[in-house]
């Protein structure tokens, strides 16, 4: 681990026995050399928060033991098309990528975590409904359009700060830790996902959602920790069933069109 220093260059060779190389937050610049394909012993490579440019070389496909790759916070361009199938964790957030989401990532059977917060455009591919081992999909702060595919089986989803439209889809998973769809153009009513156990956060703020929220039974969200529906067009009364959400530590329903009085059940939130 040599992170947080002022190193300026990548090594040309590494011992075959080296499994972990952390050079994040240094002063690395220039392109990533194709010789990284010779670092075949690596299981984890962290080069984030540097000034690397250019594309990810095709030689990465030869790192067949690599399960964690973090290149976030650089100036890389050109989305990768050839990566080792062994990857579980892939962070390319905060680079200069553009274009559409690469469907080839859906074919990586072991990939469990993707962070591609860049300048992606286009629609979300339907192949995301077919991935079996993915638990984290983070595509915030892009320019994605279209609707969200139905039936994704992913437990952490962050699609915030895009231009996604349509209604909130159904999900195939039985458990969701985080669902952040805030700052999009989603329409329709509050999603009744009674078959999904959401235990972390549900953030839907600053969309175009509407309807009588007072008629919604929130008992299916009793394990939820954080709920945000602010900046919408919800009407009616504040639902009394909010009081069953005893695990809640953060609730924001501001800037809607609620009427009436606060339900007494809300006092059960501590």
């Amino acid at each position: 681990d040599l992170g947080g220093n002022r190193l300026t260059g990548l090594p040309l060779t590494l011992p075959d026995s080296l499994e972990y190389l952390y050079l994040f937050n240094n002063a690395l610049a220039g392109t990533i050399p194709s010789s990284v394909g010779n670092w075949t012993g690596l299981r984890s490579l962290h080069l984030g928060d540097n000034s690397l440019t250019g594309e990810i070389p095709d030689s990465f496909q030869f790192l067949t033991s690599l399960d964690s790759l973090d290149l976030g916070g650089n100036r890389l361009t050109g989305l990768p098309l050839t990566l080792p199938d062994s990857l579980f964790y892939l962070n390319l957030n905060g680079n200069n990528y553009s274009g559409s989401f690469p469907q080839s990532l859906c074919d990586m059977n072991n990939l469990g975590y993707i962070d591609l917060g860049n300048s992606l455009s286009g629609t979300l591919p339907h192949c995301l409904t077919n991935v079996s081992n993915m638990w984290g999909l983070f595509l915030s702060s892009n320019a994605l359009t279209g609707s969200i595919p139905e039936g994704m089986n992913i437990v952490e989803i962050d699609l915030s700060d895009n231009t996604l439209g349509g209604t909130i889809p159904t999900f195939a998973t039985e458990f969701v830790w985080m669902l952040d769809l805030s700052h999009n153009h989603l329409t329709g009513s509050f999603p009744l996902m009674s078959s999904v156990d959401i235990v972390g956060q549900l953030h839907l703020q600053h969309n175009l959602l509407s309807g009588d929220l007072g008629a919604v039974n929130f008992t299916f969200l009793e394990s939820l920790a954080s709920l945000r529906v602010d900046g919408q067009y919800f009407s009616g009364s504040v639902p009394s069933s909010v009081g069953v959400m005893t695990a809640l530590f953060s609730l924001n329903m501001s800037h809607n069109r609620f009427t009436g009085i606060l339900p007494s059940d809300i006092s059960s939130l501590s």
Side-chain angles (χ1 to χ4, degrees), residues 9-247:
L10 290 169
L12 296 178
T13 59
L14 290 174
D16 293 339
S17 59
L18 188 66
E19 296 183 347
Y20 304 93
L21 179 60
Y22 300 140
L23 296 173
F24 59 91
N25 194 21
N26 273 283
L28 302 178
T31 59
I32 301 174
S34 59
S35 59
V36 298
N38 299 323
W39 304 348
T40 53
L42 282 184
R43 294 180 56 191
S44 180
L45 177 61
H46 190 341
L47 302 178
D49 297 311
N50 283 286
S51 299
L52 297 171
T53 57
E55 300 184 0
I56 296 176
D58 290 341
S59 58
F60 264 91
Q61 64 185 303
F62 302 122
L63 304 182
T64 55
S65 297
L66 193 69
D67 59 31
S68 178
L69 176 61
D70 192 334
L71 299 175
N74 281 285
R75 301 172 186 172
L76 298 171
T77 57
L79 287 165
L81 298 177
T82 53
L83 290 171
D85 194 53
S86 56
L87 270 185
F88 175 80
Y89 176 95
L90 176 62
N91 182 10
L92 301 176
N93 179 56
N95 280 283
N96 294 331
Y97 292 121
S98 60
S100 59
F101 182 93
Q103 296 198 31
S104 58
L105 296 181
C106 295
D107 299 326
M108 297 177 63
N109 296 325
N110 295 309
L111 195 58
Y113 178 104
I114 300 176
D115 191 338
L116 271 175
N118 286 273
S119 299
L120 300 183
S121 58
T123 60
L124 290 169
H126 285 279
C127 66
L128 289 171
T129 63
N130 300 322
V131 294
S132 56
N133 295 320
M134 189 177 299
W135 61 265
L137 177 65
F138 297 83
L139 299 175
S140 64
S141 303
N142 283 291
L144 297 171
T145 58
S147 59
I148 302 172
E150 294 276 348
M152 287 193 293
N153 186 16
I154 304 172
V155 299
E156 291 193 39
I157 300 175
D158 186 353
L159 300 176
S160 61
D161 292 290
N162 280 283
T163 319
L164 296 167
T167 58
I168 296 175
T170 58
F171 295 89
T173 181
E174 298 179 356
F175 168 87
V176 170
W177 174 249
M178 182 191 76
L179 178 60
D180 192 340
L181 305 178
S182 61
H183 297 275
N184 279 285
H185 294 167
L186 299 172
T187 58
S189 57
F190 188 86
L192 298 177
M193 297 179 286
S194 56
S195 62
V196 180
D197 185 15
I198 305 178
V199 300
Q201 68 182 46
L202 176 59
H203 288 180
L204 305 174
Q205 71 270 22
H206 296 287
N207 278 284
L208 303 172
L209 302 177
S210 60
D212 184 356
L213 204 62
V216 176
N217 188 337
F218 278 78
T219 54
F220 73 98
L221 295 174
E222 60 183 351
S223 301
L224 194 64
S226 177
L227 174 63
R228 291 196 61 179
V229 294
D230 46 299
Q232 312 278 359
Y233 297 93
F234 290 123
S235 58
S237 59
V238 176
S240 60
S241 56
V242 168
V244 305
M245 301 164 65
T246 54

